[in-house]
Amino acid sequence: MDAVFVEREVECATDSGSVKGFIRVFKPMPDQNDWRCDYALKWADFEKRFYAMGVDAFQALQLAMSIVPAHVGMSADFKAGRLRFLEEPLTDMNLRDLFETKWLGDA
């Protein structure tokens, strides 16, 4: 993995309080004939590292940013309502909006 390209901090409630965590997307890098964009999610007892592949850096980054909410949403901490962003709980209603891009003018 290379340098962090973007990062979002999250908090995870635990029995002993709150633990800071992060979601990191790394700078896309060439990978043979394609591009690879690594990402990492870590909070409390959860850690996942993976990547997305694209035909160019833009697509690899876009795919990684689109996959991240699915990994967050599948975590036990999310399902139990323990994850927070900016002091607000992460829910099915706001999870996608926090990580995906929209076109100007989209609702």
Side-chain angles (χ1 to χ4, degrees):
M1 281 188 227
D2 201 25
V4 173
F5 191 60
V6 293
E7 178 177 287
R8 174 149 283 166
E9 279 190 13
V10 294
E11 290 186 13
C12 182
T14 66
D15 292 339
S16 58
S18 176
V19 175
K20 286 193 180 202
F22 61 79
I23 298 163
R24 292 181 178 143
V25 178
F26 297 85
K27 179 181 175 186
M29 302 295 292
D31 187 326
Q32 297 180 22
N33 293 328
D34 295 309
W35 285 75
R36 174 182 173 135
C37 187
D38 293 336
Y39 55 91
L41 295 76
K42 184 172 183 354
W43 55 80
D45 295 327
F46 180 85
E47 185 168 0
K48 178 153 187 80
R49 294 179 179 271
F50 207 66
Y51 61 90
M53 299 292 293
V55 297
D56 57 20
F58 187 92
Q59 185 183 39
L61 175 62
Q62 188 176 39
L63 291 172
M65 295 294 288
S66 295
I67 294 168
V68 164
H71 287 297
V72 173
M74 290 186 294
S75 72
D77 293 312
F78 175 81
K79 291 177 182 177
R82 292 188 290 261
L83 292 181
R84 299 176 73 77
F85 173 67
L86 296 177
E87 300 181 11
E88 295 292 326
L90 285 179
T91 66
D92 288 331
M93 296 295 287
N94 66 12
L95 180 61
R96 185 172 301 200
D97 290 340
L98 291 174
F99 295 98
E100 289 189 1
T101 58
K102 294 183 183 226
W103 290 89
L104 290 175
D106 282 353

